[in-house]
């Protein structure tokens, strides 16, 4: 098949999922055309079946902002006609599915549209009423809709009503050849960050409010009072100043390391002992899955799709949003009991590999594309 993938290029789970899916489809012989405002940040390895088409900006005095949604629609039509796309796959309803729908209208032949919901496209609607009608239309006009967790599929139907095409759940996935544990004692990084044998906690995100990174710092503050430890904060975003202030307020400057945005997160995850994800909302929590695949148990909040990803008492622990005390106690439960830790770490690897393999997800998407093509 010739598949067009529209996604956000910036740091974030949806772009990662779209890009990794593209590579996996390419490996299975499909031709994949990424259409985005910039090269997706994980699209760095050459693959003969993968192509990138940049949506270029226009600068015209009348436009206060360039009309990206329209430029994207035009680019989709251009690529679809030139390469003969069989299907267009929009990751994120707004604005990608809207642009793809416009493109469909401009085409002189059918171009089936598949929309994958990643979560914030639905929660965004909760925050901004202005997007409600548009998102509902994006869902209604998609030939097939997928969601990355059952929780997200449920939430979507609660917000928009039952959709005629239904919502197929295709959970996010990992490549076990990339996300795998390594022997911690052999790691150079570990000696750098924890020279005196301290334990290492970590959090990776885009530092948006929804991630509750200040909670991460407070959980760490309680843990390090009992077990000598360090905290690695990876990523950047709007909450950065508040987080830095919290670190200073708690006198943790020497124990918290800010690594900024990083691409090769698996190398960091392989270095750490426990991963923290205390988000207020998380449709899936891809980074939690990546951590588990590297043998790192996850302490996270019981929201959205996280209970589908992290097994409470097996591969990590779940607590209520904002329960800093409870989350710190769960971290200590793991860090003060070597045999429990080892069991959780092994269970996390097995669970991640067996439940979220890339092959199963790719086959799921292939079937969705075929159904969409057949039905249009
Ligand atoms: O969480 C973010 O801020 C980024 C966002 C995105 O669009 O990349 O992540 C969403 O999609 C990811 C990939 O499917 C999921 O793993 C994240 O849970 C989801 N984020 C939220 O629901 C808050």
């Amino acid at each position: 098949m010739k598949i067009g993938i529209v996604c956000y290029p910036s740091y974030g789970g949806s772009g990662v999922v779209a890009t990794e899916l593209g590579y996996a489809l390419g490996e299975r012989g499909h031709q994949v055309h990424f259409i985005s405002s910039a090269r997706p940040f994980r699209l760095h390895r050459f693959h003969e079946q993968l192509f990138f088409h940049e949506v270029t900006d226009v600068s015209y005095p009348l436009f206060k902002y360039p009309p990206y949604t329209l430029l994207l629609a035009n680019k989709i039509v251009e690529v679809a006609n030139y390469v003969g796309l069989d299907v267009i796959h929009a990751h994120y309803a707004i604005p990608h599915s809207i642009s793809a729908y416009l493109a469909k209208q401009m085409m002189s032949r059918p171009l089936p549209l598949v929309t994958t919901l990643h979560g914030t496209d639905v929660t965004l609607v909760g925050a901004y009423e202005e997007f409600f009608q548009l998102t509902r239309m994006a869902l209604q006009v998609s030939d097939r809709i997928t969601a990355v967790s059952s929780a997200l599929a449920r939430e979507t139907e609660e917000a928009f009503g039952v959709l005629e095409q239904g919502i197929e759940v295709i959970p996010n996935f990992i490549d076990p050849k990339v996300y795998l544990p390594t022997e911690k004692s052999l790691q150079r990084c570990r000696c750098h960050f924890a020279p005196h044998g301290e334990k290492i906690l970590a959090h990776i995100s885009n530092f948006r409010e929804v991630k509750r990174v200040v909670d991460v710092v407070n959980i760490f503050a309680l843990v390090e009072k009992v077990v000598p430890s360090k905290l690695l904060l990876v990523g950047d975003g709007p909450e950065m100043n508040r987080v830095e202030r919290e670190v200073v307020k708690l006198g943790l400057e020497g124990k918290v390391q800010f690594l900024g945005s990083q691409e090769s997160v698996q190398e960091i995850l392989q270095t750490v002992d426990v991963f923290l994800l205390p988000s207020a909302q998380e449709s899936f929590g891809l980074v939690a899955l990546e951590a588990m695949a590297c043998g790192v148990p996850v302490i996270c909040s019981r929201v959205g799709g996280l209970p589908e990803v992290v097994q409470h008492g097996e591969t990590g622990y779940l607590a209520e949003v904002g329960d800093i005390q409870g989350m710190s106690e769960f971290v200590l439960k793991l860090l003060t009991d070597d045999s429990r830790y080892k069991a959780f770490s092994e269970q996390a690897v097995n669970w991640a590999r067996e439940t979220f393999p890339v092959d199963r997800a790719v086959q799921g998407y292939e079937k969705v594309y075929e159904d969409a093509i057949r039905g249009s």
Side-chain angles (χ1 to χ4, degrees):
M1 274 181 273
K2 289 184 180 170
I3 302 149
I5 290 188
V6 184
C7 66
Y8 283 116
S10 48
Y11 289 90
S14 62
V16 172
V17 170
T19 310
E20 297 299 343
L21 172 64
Y23 276 114
L25 288 163
E27 276 301 289
R28 290 168 70 88
H30 302 291
Q31 205 180 84
V32 182
H33 293 264
F34 287 92
I35 306 169
S36 187
S37 56
R39 197 175 180 83
F41 83 102
R42 286 263 180 104
L43 189 62
H44 45 55
R45 283 179 283 125
F46 173 74
H47 192 292
E48 65 282 6
Q49 294 283 65
L50 266 56
F51 302 84
F52 169 57
H53 308 268
E54 185 171 341
V55 181
T56 40
D57 243 358
V58 291
S59 143
Y60 185 67
L62 266 186
F63 295 150
K64 187 171 173 201
Y65 306 107
Y68 180 69
T69 305
L70 304 182
L71 294 169
L72 173 60
N74 199 66
K75 187 57 128 185
I76 294 171
V77 175
E78 195 185 301
V79 175
N81 283 333
Y82 187 70
V83 307
L85 289 183
D86 296 306
V87 61
I88 185 87
H89 185 177
H91 289 260
Y92 239 89
I94 304 289
H96 299 155
S97 307
I98 300 293
S99 300
Y101 174 60
L102 255 179
K104 252 172 99 93
Q105 305 305 307
M106 287 189 269
M107 300 274 300
S108 52
R109 64 171 175 87
L111 179 65
L113 164 60
V114 174
T115 293
T116 288
L117 300 171
H118 285 274
T120 33
D121 33 10
V122 173
T123 43
L124 173 87
V125 169
Y128 300 98
E129 181 63 29
E130 293 89 325
F131 287 114
F132 185 84
Q133 306 290 351
L134 261 182
T135 308
R136 188 168 61 185
M137 187 189 83
L139 296 171
Q140 285 167 346
V141 299
S142 296
D143 295 289
R144 290 289 180 278
I145 305 167
T146 75
V148 297
S149 64
S150 303
L152 178 58
R154 260 195 322 273
E155 270 175 42
T156 307
E157 296 206 325
E158 273 160 26
F160 297 99
V162 175
L163 295 148
E164 208 188 312
Q165 336 71 316
I167 302 179
E168 174 136 0
V169 176
I170 303 184
N172 289 334
F173 52 89
I174 41 109
D175 182 347
K177 294 192 287 305
V178 177
Y179 292 91
L180 73 175
T182 59
E183 182 52 62
K184 290 208 162 49
S185 59
L186 300 176
Q187 292 157 2
R188 200 167 61 91
C189 260
R190 199 170 169 90
C191 306
H192 174 77
F193 292 125
H196 307 295
E198 297 95 329
K199 299 290 183 191
I200 303 182
L201 280 64
H203 169 80
I204 303 175
S205 76
N206 49 16
F207 281 53
R208 288 193 301 125
E209 208 180 329
V210 70
K211 302 292 174 182
R212 298 184 67 105
V213 192
V214 171
D215 282 9
V216 172
V217 176
N218 282 287
I219 295 164
F220 173 70
L222 295 176
V223 170
E224 73 85 27
K225 281 191 184 130
V226 183
V227 172
S229 35
K230 294 286 180 87
L231 173 65
L232 302 184
L233 290 175
V234 184
D236 206 339
E239 285 286 281
M240 184 52 101
N241 282 346
R242 221 155 76 81
V243 174
E244 281 170 347
R245 278 206 308 277
E246 194 72 8
V247 170
V248 174
K249 190 179 105 190
L250 296 170
L252 294 171
E253 294 95 316
K255 296 174 180 165
V256 179
Q257 184 95 41
F258 290 91
L259 303 188
S261 297
Q262 298 279 340
E263 203 174 301
S264 191
V265 293
Q266 72 277 14
E267 290 175 61
I268 299 168
L269 289 169
Q270 285 161 346
T271 306
V272 312
D273 296 299
V274 170
F275 188 80
L276 302 173
L277 194 62
S279 310
Q281 181 53 39
E282 206 67 68
S283 69
F284 185 89
L286 181 62
V287 69
L289 174 59
E290 293 172 341
M292 291 188 298
C294 291
V296 183
V298 174
I299 310 299
C300 61
S301 33
R302 191 177 282 108
V303 284
L306 280 172
E308 295 167 49
V309 178
V310 177
Q311 286 185 298
H312 182 71
E314 301 275 331
T315 66
Y317 289 107
L318 299 146
E320 298 316 308
V321 175
D323 183 3
I324 292 164
Q325 182 69 35
M327 292 194 200
S328 69
E329 283 165 15
F330 284 138
V331 176
L332 288 169
K333 238 172 135 160
L334 288 168
L335 294 185
T336 55
D337 183 340
D338 285 349
S339 64
R340 187 199 309 259
Y341 182 86
K342 192 165 175 291
F344 271 57
S345 172
E346 284 168 9
Q347 281 153 202
V349 176
N350 294 337
W351 165 252
R353 284 188 182 177
E354 284 159 20
T355 320
F356 304 95
V358 57
D359 290 348
R360 194 178 305 156
V362 179
Q363 283 161 25
Y365 282 113
E366 278 175 334
K367 182 160 181 318
V368 168
Y369 298 153
E370 281 158 13
D371 287 353
I373 292 168
R374 221 174 296 121
S376 66

